[in-house]
Amino acid sequence: MLDQLTMAPSDPILGLTDAFRKDPNPDKINLGVGVYKDESGHTPILNSVAQARQRILAAETTKNYLAIDGSPEYSQVVQELLFGAGHALLGSGRTVTVQAPGGTGALRVAADFLHQHFPAARVWISEPTWANHSQIFRLAGIQVQTYPYFDARTNALDFAAMCRALDSAPAGDIILLHGCCHNPTGVDPTPDQWRDLAGLLTARHLLPLVDFAYQGLGRGLREDAEGLATLCAALPELLVASSFSKNFGLYNERAGALTLVAATPEAAQQVLSHLKICIRANYSNPPAHGAAIITTVLQDTQLRQEWEGEVRAMRQRIGQMRALFVATLRQKGVVRDFSFIERQQGMFSFSGLNKEQVETLRHVHGIYIVGGGRINVAGMTRQNMDPLCNAIAAVLN
Ligand code: LMR
């Protein structure tokens, strides 16, 4: 039976990391997967995280299971970070958070829950979007639709086309939005556009599912949550899948959360009871360590301050790399205008390089970027900038 299968395609992002590892080229550069690197090209453990880890290891007395929905302290700090301390939703009873193994785990729990209870609902994802979105929902049994998002001629959001498509979605469908730092384009709605989106979703009775994986890496921790705040002010119900892989550098700890805002506290508890069944049937209960680190950092004034500084430093370094990338391309004689890259937010730059150019970068120059032309700016350094821009100049000419 099993020998009837042929090879599945490798993952467009993590498969690239596998190929990179096997590449013997000593000058290879991996700008594929969205992982932050410091100026020396290393993915660091944040100081705040290292200190929290020490405290946890010193105090830990058991490895007993967590509850199916995870730790209540974690839920509280997650909600405070999403909505802001003192937000009316906190303590309203209308919002519940379940701890999840990464943002991907949170999306899959949401997908299982939605498919089980709203089998006719489809999910609408942006075109383009993170390479994993479509398969998460498809494999959960949900039909996937796309809405236009990016205008390649202007390197900007095609908001009119996006709204036209969403306006045609039937009531009860699910609209996946990126909370900030859209992956892969780095192009986000403006505050006015978020307000218009909130109005459209309300009028059409559509359910937003916000994928929020880059809080703090765009404009700032609170600034990046403004779109979510606008949705919360307008809509009675929504879901948020959040991740701490990037802003805490906790990639391999798989720390994320699924947060639900319901119209009433009773509805929130009812949904929670069903989410717990999805979790129990999937991975039983969540891993503890990453979430414990986040809770420890966010509950402690000194660690939190240090972490906020570390997020700021990551954000600033990414901004500097954007500027240096654009300037270096110019200096290498590239005539195409890449200045839009400085206006993009978050880890990625959507370069506009085509499939053939991406292939040439990889096979001739040992530079790995994602198929659609997405480059991980957070992986650029002053050292790799020259070879990177030389290679891009060569493929463009
Ligand atoms: C990415 O987009 O590169 C990251 O979100 C990592 C992943 O899991 O794909």
Side-chain angles (χ1 to χ4, degrees):
M1 180 170 102
L2 298 179
D3 60 359
Q4 290 164 16
L5 296 180
T6 55
M7 286 296 282
S10 64
D11 184 80
I13 297 175
L14 297 184
L16 214 53
T17 306
D18 292 340
F20 177 83
R21 284 196 185 116
K22 289 186 194 135
D23 187 342
N25 180 349
D27 301 321
K28 62 189 178 177
I29 302 172
N30 187 6
L31 299 175
V33 66
V35 167
Y36 177 83
K37 300 209 176 115
D38 62 19
E39 197 40 56
S40 66
H42 178 64
T43 301
I45 297 176
L46 301 186
N47 284 330
S48 52
V49 165
Q51 288 177 59
R53 180 177 61 180
Q54 270 182 358
R55 290 190 199 176
I56 292 164
L57 292 182
E60 192 172 64
T61 57
T62 181
K63 290 286 183 189
N64 201 348
Y65 291 124
L66 291 184
I68 294 174
D69 51 342
S71 122
E73 292 81 14
Y74 179 69
S75 297
Q76 193 180 334
V77 294
V78 168
Q79 291 184 11
E80 278 172 13
L81 198 62
L82 291 178
F83 305 122
H87 191 283
L89 275 175
L90 304 174
S92 70
R94 284 179 50 214
T95 176
V96 294
T97 294
V98 297
Q99 191 173 322
T104 309
L107 286 167
R108 180 62 198 234
V109 171
D112 285 342
F113 163 75
L114 291 165
H115 178 59
Q116 208 183 339
H117 296 281
F118 308 97
R122 296 174 303 173
V123 67
W124 293 68
I125 58 177
S126 63
E127 171 51 45
T129 193
W130 179 44
N132 205 18
H133 274 148
S134 172
Q135 80 182 347
I136 290 173
F137 293 100
R138 268 192 303 104
L139 293 183
I142 302 187
Q143 203 192 316
V144 176
Q145 297 277 327
T146 58
Y147 59 85
Y149 189 82
F150 185 70
D151 182 348
R153 284 166 308 131
T154 57
N155 292 298
L157 173 58
D158 191 346
F159 191 63
M162 175 184 184
C163 291
R164 264 196 309 278
L166 296 185
D167 214 27
S168 74
D173 270 8
I174 302 136
I175 312 300
L176 184 87
L177 298 165
H178 299 223
C180 68
C181 308
H182 182 270
N183 179 2
T185 68
V187 173
D188 294 326
T190 62
D192 282 346
Q193 290 170 336
W194 276 112
R195 260 188 297 280
D196 290 350
L197 274 176
L200 189 158
L201 299 177
T202 311
R204 304 280 317 155
H205 300 285
L206 299 166
L207 179 70
L209 166 53
V210 180
D211 184 350
F212 204 23
Y214 298 90
Q215 186 175 4
L217 294 178
R219 292 182 297 129
L221 284 163
R222 290 277 34 95
E223 292 84 343
D224 289 346
E226 282 168 6
L228 175 63
T230 302
L231 295 180
C232 288
L235 285 136
E237 298 179 337
L238 56 82
L239 293 164
V240 189
S242 55
S243 165
F244 295 107
S245 296
K246 326 285 175 174
N247 55 13
F248 272 82
L250 284 171
Y251 305 91
N252 66 16
E253 296 290 358
R254 312 309 300 138
L258 178 64
T259 296
L260 159 98
V261 176
T264 63
E266 296 72 36
Q269 288 306 312
Q270 282 152 11
V271 174
L272 175 62
S273 69
H274 293 289
L275 290 176
K276 282 159 85 169
I277 293 174
C278 295
I279 293 168
R280 179 69 171 138
N282 189 338
Y283 51 89
S284 187
N285 50 75
H289 189 62
I293 288 174
I294 290 152
T295 310
T296 305
V297 170
L298 294 181
Q299 283 182 337
D300 182 275
T301 312
Q302 174 253 320
L303 290 182
R304 186 182 178 117
Q305 247 176 31
E306 178 146 10
W307 171 69
E308 288 184 7
E310 292 182 294
V311 176
R312 193 179 317 116
M314 288 195 273
R315 182 171 68 241
Q316 286 170 348
R317 203 191 82 75
I318 295 171
Q320 287 159 8
M321 289 303 106
R322 280 189 188 285
L324 187 61
F325 183 45
V326 174
T328 312
L329 285 173
R330 227 178 265 139
Q331 186 204 322
K332 301 287 174 193
V334 170
V335 284
R336 194 197 283 187
D337 179 15
F338 278 101
S339 57
F340 62 86
I341 285 175
E342 286 193 73
R343 295 191 294 274
Q344 297 170 339
Q345 302 277 345
M347 277 189 158
F348 305 117
S349 129
F350 203 49
S351 64
L353 295 177
N354 63 32
K355 195 164 178 271
E356 199 190 332
Q357 291 162 337
V358 171
E359 290 286 307
T360 310
L361 276 180
R362 172 172 163 184
H363 296 295
V364 177
H365 302 277
I367 292 173
Y368 288 67
I369 68 172
V370 175
R374 188 193 85 171
I375 304 182
N376 177 26
V377 184
M380 294 178 188
T381 63
R382 284 173 206 282
Q383 263 92 55
N384 67 24
M385 194 60 80
D386 246 32
L388 169 67
C389 293
N390 282 333
I392 293 180
V395 300
L396 285 173
N397 297 330

